[in-house]
Amino acid sequence: MSQQIPTEQETLEAIREELAAIKVPDAASAEPSSTWSDLDVDSLDLVEIVKALEDRYDVQIADGRLKAIATVGDAQELVQELVREKAGAPA
Amino acid sequence: MSARENGDHPVALVTGGTRGIGAAIAQRLRDDGFTVATLARSGGDVQADVADPEQVEAAFQAVRERFGPVLVLVNNAGVRADGLAIRMAADDWTTVVDTNLTGAFHCTRRALDDMLSARWGRVVNVSSVVAERANPGQANYVAAKAGLLGFTRTVAREMARKGVTCNAVTPGVIDTDMTTDVADGLIGAVPAGRVGRPEEVAAAVAFLCSDEAAYVNGATLAVDGALGA
């Protein structure tokens, strides 16, 4: 059975959970417009979050795409795009 | 809680762990309660040329499947191809730098994933007394071993917040197959008046891998009978 495409709200909750897992103080109030610097998330934290999202959704986020992820919303969009590609569904 | 305090036997991977200093390190870490896997080009628990990132990736996958996540990495694999810089073949430069320096990067990169997830990790790079000095006839080896020290300090700073340490040891003249041709001439230069034993290097590495060394990070520990002092 193909994987269900997560909704925007689901990916937002997933990212909030992963932020909380690495002890980001404002994890619960993270919004799509929040930048990593707003959240005090450094480059190594971002690597951890990306790794957790890869495991959660069984997708691979290429290292080259990390730089383009500047906000929570960027991460949501990328995850949804990759899950859609994996499921073979039209974008 | 650290991996050690947890009562586990964390997996320690020792590259070049079948001979010389590497074999002594593997034995010592085994004695200290780690689950030790050795990586070598032939023999060892897993086979790989550390200079080849694909072989390193496959070897790490094999170690994870057989033993578990790698929480201790000792980058010990090293080769020599001596000659004066003025006549050094490009291949001799590349082989030594690719194995001794870039190989440590390939292995560390793989191991850091596991260490980051565990919030505990130890990387120890086996450099050399020559890294902070000079050794005519070994421009490639000295450059690689000096590079390892910069790599060590940088990884230490990058990972410090996550419970991962990265340190180096700089052995002097140690009694192994690799030094049989140089040891005799150098003994006179060693203030201790003797060559070192592989077990003496292993003891320093074991300390850096211990929980007690949690606040030792980015350091270079000389094990050289004061040769580099």
Side-chain angles (χ1 to χ4, degrees):
Chain A
M1 204 171 83
S2 67
Q3 187 176 349
Q4 280 219 310
I5 315 297
T7 65
E8 274 179 38
Q9 190 57 36
E10 282 166 348
T11 51
L12 180 60
E13 288 303 328
I15 291 166
R16 285 174 176 163
E17 282 173 28
E18 300 304 345
L19 288 167
I22 61 164
K23 311 270 191 284
V24 171
D26 298 327
S29 56
E31 293 297 335
S33 59
S34 308
T35 65
W36 304 124
S37 63
D38 292 340
L39 296 164
D40 209 13
V41 166
D42 70 12
S43 54
L44 183 58
D45 293 328
L46 182 58
V47 168
E48 275 200 279
I49 291 163
V50 163
K51 191 162 167 273
L53 292 172
E54 286 180 330
D55 291 345
R56 183 188 281 249
Y57 293 108
D58 192 23
V59 293
Q60 286 290 314
I61 298 173
D63 291 342
R65 302 189 78 159
L66 283 185
K67 282 198 175 70
I69 309 176
T71 64
V72 169
D74 293 339
Q76 283 178 276
E77 277 176 34
L78 181 57
V79 164
Q80 287 183 300
E81 181 189 326
L82 291 172
V83 175
R84 261 198 303 270
E85 277 174 18
K86 188 167 148 253
Chain B
M1 186 182 297
S2 77
R4 302 306 310 278
E5 287 162 349
N6 216 5
D8 290 330
H9 297 277
V11 175
L13 180 64
V14 182
T15 72
T18 56
R19 294 192 303 164
I21 292 172
I25 293 168
Q27 185 57 52
R28 173 59 192 261
L29 293 180
R30 221 171 262 128
D31 293 344
D32 284 3
F34 290 95
T35 301
V36 174
T38 55
L39 180 153
R41 276 179 296 187
S42 58
D45 296 304
V46 287
Q47 289 78 45
D49 177 351
V50 294
D52 181 332
E54 288 177 7
Q55 289 186 32
V56 168
E57 171 64 19
F60 266 79
Q61 206 47 48
V63 170
R64 286 191 190 102
E65 283 165 17
R66 277 174 60 190
F67 301 96
V70 176
L71 299 189
V72 173
L73 170 68
V74 181
N75 285 310
N76 167 75
V79 294
R80 278 173 51 195
D82 298 350
L84 294 176
I86 193 172
R87 297 295 298 267
M88 185 174 284
D91 278 355
D92 285 343
W93 174 274
T94 306
T95 300
V96 170
V97 172
D98 283 0
T99 301
N100 298 13
L101 176 59
T102 312
F105 160 70
H106 292 320
C107 293
T108 303
R109 187 181 189 282
R110 296 300 159 207
L112 288 178
D113 273 346
D114 290 348
M115 296 176 184
L116 185 57
S117 300
R119 285 289 190 283
W120 193 94
R122 297 283 184 269
V123 179
V124 180
N125 294 317
V126 179
S127 177
S128 166
V129 65
V130 300
E132 294 176 304
R133 296 168 71 85
N135 206 23
Q138 289 198 310
N140 47 4
Y141 189 83
V142 174
K145 293 296 190 181
L148 263 183
L149 298 184
F151 177 65
T152 299
R153 291 190 293 266
T154 302
V155 172
R157 289 193 75 135
E158 287 181 359
M159 301 301 295
R161 208 161 48 77
K162 305 291 184 179
V164 176
T165 69
C166 183
N167 293 289
V169 293
T170 49
V173 186
I174 308 296
D175 184 16
T176 67
D177 294 347
M178 200 164 165
T179 56
T180 46
D181 58 331
V182 295
D184 287 348
L186 270 173
I187 293 174
V190 181
R194 66 173 177 87
V195 297
R197 289 180 289 113
E199 293 75 20
E200 292 176 304
V201 179
V205 172
F207 166 67
L208 294 171
C209 294
S210 69
D211 274 331
E212 289 73 16
Y215 205 59
V216 180
N217 204 353
T220 299
L221 181 50
V223 189
D224 63 3
L227 179 59

